[in-house]
Amino acid sequence: MKEQERQEKFTTDSGLEIERVYPKKAFPEELPGEFPFTRGVQETMYRSKLWTMRQYAGFSTAEESNKRYHYLLKNGTTGLSVAFDLPTQIGYDSDHAFSEGEVGKSGVAIDSLKDMEILFDGISLQEVTSSMTINSTASILLAMYIALAKKQGADLRKISGTIQNDLLKEYAARGTYIYPPKPSMRIITDIFEYCSKEVPKWNTISISGYHIREAGSTAVQELAFTLANGKAYLKAALEKGLDINVFAKRLSFFFNAHNNFFEEVAKFRAARRMWASITKELGATDPKAQMLRFHTQTGGSTLTAQQPQNNIVRVTMQALSAVLGGTQSLHTNGYDEAIALPTEEAARIALRTQQIIGFESGVTDTVDPLAGSYFVEELTNQVESLAWEYIHTIDAMGGSVEAIEQGYMQKEIARSAYIYQQDIQSGKKIIVGVNKFVVKEDPLSNILTVDDSIRQLQIDKINAVKASRDNTRVKAILTQLESDARGTANLMPRILEACEAYATLGEIADVMRKVFGEYSGN
């Protein structure tokens, strides 16, 4: 006699029903490293090289963040990932009135090339890959990075890393946009074109589902909206006359990893297969231009301030799903991040989590270990099918830009976030330590805080830079940048020239604000 099951119906977080048992089925015979790349983008995957172990870090001043980078490198991190504060993200210098109370809080404050020099002091940009989570001001931060690499004597054709540079998800989910969508798309494709010639190993965009998921989307929506945005970037670059077999090789993706373990693995596998189809449809014939390569970060919104040590277990599960899903790069969150920026101890535990998975678990010894699981293969198919439904809807609206301008993605994400929160409040969705297994506890005492006084330190640095630079030259370059922005010239060479002359980030962003205007949202 079959026992009574715990609930009438089991579903993933995206609402896909999970059967009690999955029968044997015939699945396509696919190999890793071959189209459509369901099983991975490399033939040998982690048997040859583990994923890049990044730790997203940045807070306070460039000096303080530089200390954290050296600490992480000493502890075995294999790539840097830079977090910028809110003023830097939206194009304001630390001395702007809008920056008060925000300088150095959500990341490091970068006002000019001088800060970038301090941030990477003692770190060779030719020897380390850097990922920069920056969007509206991505062109400026990339220019500062290139300017610093030149000062270090690096071969620009060898420096590698990634800028997020994904504005479409900012309009849909995150909100750190400056300019309207169309000029933003122009800047993005200018970066594509410039880097393909000058910095060919640089990943010019990290098309991000992470923030879509953090805003409350389901896994299926994260996948669909991210790939729809990627499709829009491909089309914009093609319209500019760029070769898809060249620029598509430098596109990367950035996904979230949440707690519903098998759905996350299925999402990553489906993503590769779908992107291979999209790029092929748009004319890519080079297999490397058809590959979806991605970075994963564990889910910040899944972390709890209650019983924060439980987050170590959550992060471990999420990281394992990313590895079993074939990620190329991974960041694991600190257990204390629901409360504050991670302490050194929390960052070390997060990094050690990756290292234990990589070196002790055995899951890296064979490629795509879950392939052939009746459940995982069927779930991959189901996730893909639902994601295509969303993409076809967006295509019918004219693509991602139009779907965002009409508020479609925003409404879908908001609806899913509302349902998820309702399920938590009703107890249908159990969050351990929050709505079940609750205990009385003392607040976490060892937390990282950033003092507001660092704003004055940044202002002093800005004043010193402006006093020592050639202000006549800076003014002439910014005037020419305005002229370029009003025309059709690629903006990157002039932005780089401005950065090398120590124009501030705010000064450069203000020139483009003047020409392009600011986007007010829906």
Side-chain angles (χ1 to χ4, degrees):
M1 181 180 174
K2 190 172 75 172
E3 290 190 23
Q4 180 71 32
E5 296 188 345
R6 287 183 291 113
Q7 53 200 57
E8 186 177 332
K9 188 167 77 169
F10 291 80
T11 65
T12 70
D13 287 346
S14 294
L16 291 166
E17 186 168 356
I18 301 171
E19 303 297 336
R20 182 174 60 83
V21 67
Y22 285 80
K24 182 177 180 180
K25 286 187 178 181
F27 296 110
E29 185 63 40
E30 295 178 347
L31 294 173
E34 294 182 8
F35 187 92
F37 310 106
T38 311
R39 300 194 61 190
V41 292
Q42 289 112 15
E43 184 181 351
T44 55
M45 288 298 288
Y46 308 134
R47 284 167 67 96
S48 297
K49 182 184 178 185
L50 297 183
W51 61 92
T52 302
M53 297 182 187
R54 296 190 188 280
Q55 285 305 109
Y56 185 49
F59 62 95
S60 185
T61 61
E63 289 88 347
E64 289 301 312
S65 292
N66 176 261
K67 291 176 188 175
R68 177 64 64 89
Y69 293 159
H70 281 284
Y71 173 82
L72 291 169
L73 289 166
K74 181 181 176 183
N75 277 276
T77 194
T78 53
L80 298 176
S81 188
V82 187
F84 298 96
D85 73 358
L86 187 59
T88 303
Q89 292 180 49
I90 54 177
Y92 292 114
D93 290 333
S94 296
D95 60 358
H96 195 284
F98 289 171
S99 299
E100 187 171 355
E102 293 292 343
V103 176
K105 294 295 178 68
S106 63
V108 62
I110 300 292
D111 292 310
S112 73
L113 177 58
K114 182 65 177 175
D115 286 318
M116 192 67 85
E117 292 167 358
I118 297 167
L119 185 66
F120 289 102
D121 184 41
I123 299 169
S124 169
L125 300 191
Q126 192 169 309
E127 303 300 323
V128 68
T129 66
S130 300
S131 176
M132 296 190 283
T133 303
I134 196 69
N135 296 281
S136 293
T137 53
S139 58
I140 304 170
L141 272 300
L142 175 59
M144 288 183 184
Y145 193 90
I146 293 170
L148 176 57
K150 288 171 69 176
K151 288 192 75 171
Q152 287 186 355
D155 181 347
L156 296 187
R157 302 191 71 80
K158 292 182 179 178
I159 68 165
S160 62
T162 304
I163 44 169
Q164 194 160 101
N165 194 29
D166 175 10
L167 265 298
L168 291 179
K169 70 95 176 47
E170 294 295 326
Y171 304 115
R174 190 160 175 262
T176 63
Y177 45 72
I178 303 174
Y179 322 112
K182 287 182 173 61
S184 290
M185 292 294 280
R186 173 197 169 176
I187 297 168
I188 289 165
T189 53
D190 279 357
I191 292 170
F192 288 175
E193 182 180 49
Y194 177 83
C195 288
S196 68
K197 297 171 184 174
E198 305 295 332
V199 199
K201 290 185 71 176
W202 194 267
N203 296 319
T204 50
I205 191 169
S206 179
I207 305 160
S208 176
Y210 185 85
H211 304 94
I212 291 171
R213 192 67 176 282
E214 290 295 281
S217 81
T218 64
V220 167
Q221 289 170 334
E222 176 194 358
L223 174 58
F225 297 164
T226 304
L227 296 191
N229 289 348
K231 191 173 180 180
Y233 293 127
L234 289 177
K235 287 186 171 182
L238 287 169
E239 287 169 9
K240 197 177 179 71
L242 303 183
D243 183 349
I244 192 170
N245 283 319
V246 176
F247 75 81
K249 293 177 185 177
R250 301 324 311 170
L251 306 186
S252 65
F253 287 79
F254 176 19
F255 288 115
N256 211 316
H258 273 217
N259 290 330
N260 200 297
F261 186 84
F262 288 107
E263 185 175 47
E264 294 302 300
V265 174
K267 177 188 73 180
F268 298 132
R269 298 175 88 247
R272 280 190 293 271
R273 193 156 71 199
M274 293 175 73
W275 187 245
S277 175
I278 289 168
T279 52
K280 185 176 180 180
E281 180 188 337
L282 290 176
T285 55
D286 187 326
K288 289 189 176 179
Q290 299 169 337
M291 291 177 182
L292 181 146
R293 297 166 299 115
F294 68 99
H295 169 73
T296 310
Q297 181 172 337
T298 56
S301 62
T302 69
L303 303 180
T304 64
Q306 301 92 328
Q307 301 177 36
Q309 288 83 0
N310 292 346
N311 294 328
I312 298 172
V313 181
R314 294 185 177 103
V315 167
T316 303
M317 289 193 307
Q318 294 164 9
L320 184 59
S321 77
V323 170
L324 292 173
T327 194
Q328 278 62 66
S329 172
L330 179 60
H331 164 81
T332 33
N333 290 332
Y335 70 86
D336 54 358
E337 285 190 57
I339 301 163
L341 291 167
T343 60
E344 283 191 352
E345 179 197 39
R348 187 179 67 250
I349 291 171
L351 177 58
R352 293 289 182 258
T353 301
Q354 293 197 50
Q355 291 164 337
I356 290 168
I357 292 172
F359 296 103
E360 296 186 28
S361 71
V363 299
T364 60
D365 294 346
T366 189
V367 178
D368 195 15
L370 296 181
S373 156
Y374 307 142
F375 175 41
V376 170
E377 296 290 0
E378 181 60 25
L379 193 57
T380 300
N381 291 340
Q382 290 180 314
V383 168
E384 179 183 6
S385 178
L386 284 181
W388 278 125
E389 287 182 22
Y390 274 112
I391 290 175
H392 294 328
T393 298
I394 291 166
D395 284 345
M397 298 173 80
S400 278
V401 175
E402 290 77 7
I404 289 166
E405 288 178 341
Q406 293 176 41
Y408 170 72
M409 290 188 192
Q410 298 93 312
K411 289 173 185 173
E412 287 294 304
I413 294 167
R415 181 176 59 83
S416 295
Y418 178 72
I419 292 170
Y420 186 79
Q421 192 58 39
Q422 270 192 324
D423 287 347
I424 292 173
Q425 290 178 332
S426 69
K428 182 180 176 182
K429 178 77 176 173
I430 292 171
I431 307 296
V432 174
V434 175
N435 62 358
K436 198 164 186 177
F437 312 113
V438 178
V439 296
K440 284 187 176 181
E441 55 187 322
D442 294 325
L444 203 63
S445 57
N446 180 28
I447 61 172
L448 179 65
T449 58
V450 177
D451 195 277
D452 283 335
S453 64
I454 67 135
R455 181 173 182 235
Q456 188 57 52
L457 298 176
Q458 286 300 116
I459 292 172
D460 291 344
K461 279 196 282 185
I462 292 170
N463 292 336
V465 164
K466 288 182 177 180
S468 62
R469 72 188 185 184
D470 183 341
N471 284 292
T472 302
R473 182 181 172 224
V474 169
K475 185 177 179 181
I477 295 169
L478 294 177
T479 299
Q480 189 57 55
L481 175 61
E482 180 181 342
S483 176
D484 289 351
R486 295 189 187 283
T488 58
N490 189 305
L491 298 178
M492 279 302 296
R494 199 72 63 193
I495 293 172
L496 176 58
E497 189 181 357
C499 290
E500 290 180 315
Y502 290 88
T504 68
L505 175 133
E507 288 172 330
I508 297 168
D510 281 347
V511 169
M512 292 190 279
R513 274 192 181 90
K514 181 179 178 183
V515 176
F516 300 138
E518 292 187 81
Y519 185 65
S520 58
N522 291 297

